[in-house]
Amino acid sequence: MSGGAVLALDQGTTGSAALVVSAEGEVLGRAYSEFAQHFPRPGWVEHDAEEIWTVTARVAREAIAAAGVEVAGVGVTNQRETVVVWDPETLEPLRRAIVWQDRRTAALCRVLEEAGYEEMVRRRTGLLLDPYFSGTKLRWIFEDDPDLAARARSGTLAVGTIDSWLVARLTGGAVHATDPTNASRTLLYDLDEGDWNDELLDLMGVPRRILPEIRPSSGDFGVTGGDTLGIEVPIGGVAGDQQAALYGQGCWEAGTGKCTYGTGAFLLFNTGPERVASRHGLLTTAACDAHGGPAFALEGSIFVAGAAIQWLRDGLGILEHAADSEDMARSLDGNDGVYLVPAFVGLGAPHWRPDARGTITGLTRGTTRAHLVRAALEAMAYGTREVVDAMERDAGWRARGLRVDGGAAKNDWLMAFTAGILGVPVRRPEMVETTALGAAGLAGLRTGVWGGPEDFAAAFGSGRTFECEMASVEREALVGGWEAAVRGTLAVVGGS
């Protein structure tokens, strides 16, 4: 172990966090701030990229000040698929960022699918033609704004996911780069080639010259400017949030997997150097090996998880604080048949129905706000089970356990319920902010804070394991109720 500390910037969907992590695994400084969400039309979700930068830079400086130590390097992890368009000279955003949750390109995806592009896209990218991913967002932007399209053709604008935007701002525009884990979420990246693909670029109308250079996840992303964070240190690691969490959980080898509960819930299963094609509604994506090099993973994305609790708090006023959800769920002996299918922005894996919308079933005069809160928490567990079941069928293995992290993983009731619904142990690390931890690890390996991945893993404890204590008959009854609720949700929009 070499010593020192790393600044991890965790730029998420609803807020930005900054952590200064020591070589011994201690969080020396921490800061967090939310930022505004914009919903200009139903199904549309946007962010102000300039606000994201301002908030991220502010919490970074606060964490550095709180830590009071010299920082050896910076790691960046980010909400994936969200796209930013900016002027590479002035670093001014040219329009609001279109967020991964945004569904405005659903019709475009149907057009491309009906034109026969689905198989080619799946074969090259491991992804589906879904509004979730960045490529159709960029095509929509250039079709919507002819001026931006002209600038794209002339190379006088830059595009990228949030990691590229932050790297550009951190380096004062000196570096325009991304890593494979983020590039693999764009519909523009060929998993086998490990590079942008010309056929995909043509399909989405994106000139190669405006895209970031693809660099290793643990690699050289330039140096921060002294006028941005107050320090000049190398940016040594970049990874999309879910792959960063996979790395932070120590899931470096084939057969290891985790689920991160944040705004959405994301389950990744490392398949090592082998690319596994899914036949059950999952995605194949880039991941990291122990040294931050290339690997593959299967992924299941649940679009709404913690966001349902946020909706109950902010949209309906049912909760004052998200943390209150645990006690409210415990106040009931059961769910009394109430299910919430939180398809607020469509259904992700394994259904992939962007047209689906949220439903609540089983309401009676006896239904209380506690039932709605419990239903929102239960939905996270049911969605996790759906994805695990699909992964087991794809990979030919039986899950022996699951590692978990993210904000909702702090909820003991939810973790115990998830272990019951899965029928396997659920392990939560001591530090649930494994997304930031993964970014720190990737950067720390590059900058010498840790001598190797084993040193990095040894710095953090084993955490807590929740064993399955639910009887199989109860499990099957609860899952059966969920499956019926999902069928009802899909029946509203047609199909099953």
Side-chain angles (χ1 to χ4, degrees):
M1 189 172 293
S2 301
V6 178
L7 171 67
L9 301 179
D10 182 359
Q11 202 298 296
T13 307
T14 57
S16 292
L19 282 74
V20 176
V21 182
S22 74
E24 294 74 31
E26 182 181 0
V27 177
L28 304 175
R30 178 190 278 112
Y32 174 79
S33 180
E34 293 188 352
F35 54 84
Q37 308 291 306
H38 301 276
F39 308 99
R41 298 185 189 178
W44 290 28
V45 189
E46 297 179 347
H47 289 160
D48 181 339
E50 187 65 29
E51 184 186 11
I52 285 178
W53 163 243
T54 301
V55 167
T56 303
R58 184 178 73 245
V59 297
R61 290 191 293 268
E62 291 173 357
I64 293 170
V69 299
E70 184 176 343
V71 172
V74 177
V76 176
T77 183
N78 56 285
Q79 54 168 312
R80 305 170 302 171
E81 299 94 17
T82 298
V83 292
V84 185
V85 180
W86 70 92
D87 186 310
E89 297 297 327
T90 66
L91 301 182
E92 176 188 2
L94 299 176
R95 64 177 300 142
R96 281 181 183 163
I98 300 182
V99 180
W100 61 271
Q101 297 169 313
D102 190 284
R103 313 308 288 172
R104 75 185 66 186
T105 64
L108 172 58
C109 289
R110 286 194 296 271
V111 169
L112 294 174
E113 183 177 358
E114 291 168 0
Y117 289 107
E118 177 79 33
E119 191 279 329
M120 183 274 288
V121 167
R122 184 66 182 254
R123 173 169 45 85
R124 292 196 179 279
T125 70
L127 309 177
L128 303 171
L129 279 170
D130 188 88
Y132 179 24
F133 306 109
S134 310
T136 57
K137 293 175 171 56
L138 289 171
R139 175 164 164 169
W140 184 93
I141 287 171
F142 296 140
E143 290 179 349
D144 180 65
D145 192 327
D147 292 337
L148 291 183
R151 290 190 62 171
R153 290 190 296 270
S154 66
T156 56
L157 58 71
V159 301
T161 42
I162 293 292
D163 59 306
S164 299
W165 166 242
L166 292 180
V167 167
R169 295 304 297 257
L170 287 166
T171 63
V175 177
H176 185 33
T178 189
D179 86 303
T181 68
N182 279 293
S184 70
R185 313 299 297 182
T186 62
L187 289 176
L188 307 174
Y189 177 86
D190 190 302
L191 282 175
D192 294 327
E193 295 175 1
D195 197 4
W196 307 120
N197 177 268
D198 289 332
E199 186 175 6
L200 296 167
L201 296 179
D202 290 343
L203 180 63
M204 299 301 171
V206 181
R208 180 185 287 263
R209 65 194 297 186
I210 67 175
L211 287 165
E213 177 186 351
I214 301 170
R215 302 183 180 183
S217 300
S218 182
D220 178 11
F221 289 87
V223 177
T224 63
D227 58 342
T228 57
L229 300 185
I231 56 175
E232 294 184 5
V233 293
I235 305 170
V238 169
D241 52 10
Q242 303 314 317
Q243 288 94 334
L246 189 72
Y247 189 87
Q249 285 273 31
C251 299
W252 306 329
E253 299 177 353
T256 54
K258 66 88 203 177
C259 186
T260 296
Y261 294 100
T263 301
F266 302 88
L267 195 150
L268 272 73
F269 170 62
N270 193 318
T271 62
E274 178 187 2
R275 174 183 171 178
V276 176
S278 175
R279 301 177 304 280
H280 298 94
L282 303 181
L283 309 174
T284 304
T285 194
C288 300
D289 65 15
H291 297 277
F296 293 102
L298 282 171
E299 175 174 337
S301 304
I302 302 165
F303 292 155
V304 172
I309 298 298
Q310 186 181 42
W311 170 67
L312 293 175
R313 182 193 68 186
D314 301 338
L316 300 187
I318 286 176
L319 287 167
E320 184 175 357
H321 304 289
D324 297 339
S325 61
E326 181 169 353
D327 287 340
M328 292 184 73
R330 288 186 188 278
S331 71
L332 300 173
D333 293 330
N335 67 12
D336 295 325
V338 178
Y339 290 86
L340 165 64
V341 181
F344 302 149
V345 290
L347 284 175
H351 306 284
W352 294 107
R353 290 295 300 269
D355 53 344
R357 290 295 178 263
T359 60
I360 302 172
T361 64
L363 297 178
T364 69
R365 285 289 299 272
T367 300
T368 67
R369 59 179 187 153
H371 286 92
L372 298 183
V373 170
R374 178 168 175 144
L377 292 175
E378 286 191 359
M380 299 186 210
Y382 299 132
T384 302
R385 163 142 177 173
E386 286 183 324
V387 174
V388 169
D389 286 349
M391 286 190 171
E392 290 178 339
R393 293 194 295 272
D394 276 337
W397 55 273
R398 178 76 177 101
R400 297 187 300 273
L402 184 69
R403 302 179 189 185
V404 295
D405 54 70
K410 299 175 184 177
N411 186 315
D412 289 353
W413 182 90
L414 174 59
M415 294 301 97
F417 185 81
T418 300
I421 291 298
L422 293 179
V424 298
V426 169
R427 193 182 94 182
R428 181 179 66 197
E430 291 183 13
M431 178 178 172
V432 298
E433 295 154 307
T434 53
T435 300
L437 183 60
L442 292 167
L445 291 181
R446 176 73 181 183
T447 57
V449 172
W450 290 284
E454 296 80 12
D455 291 339
F456 167 67
F460 302 92
S462 59
R464 176 180 175 183
T465 297
F466 295 83
E467 301 289 345
C468 172
E469 298 181 356
M470 184 181 293
S472 60
V473 63
E474 180 183 2
R475 178 185 313 118
E476 296 310 313
L478 288 168
V479 171
W482 167 259
E483 291 172 346
V486 171
R487 288 194 298 271
T489 298
L490 295 175
V492 172
V493 292
S496 60

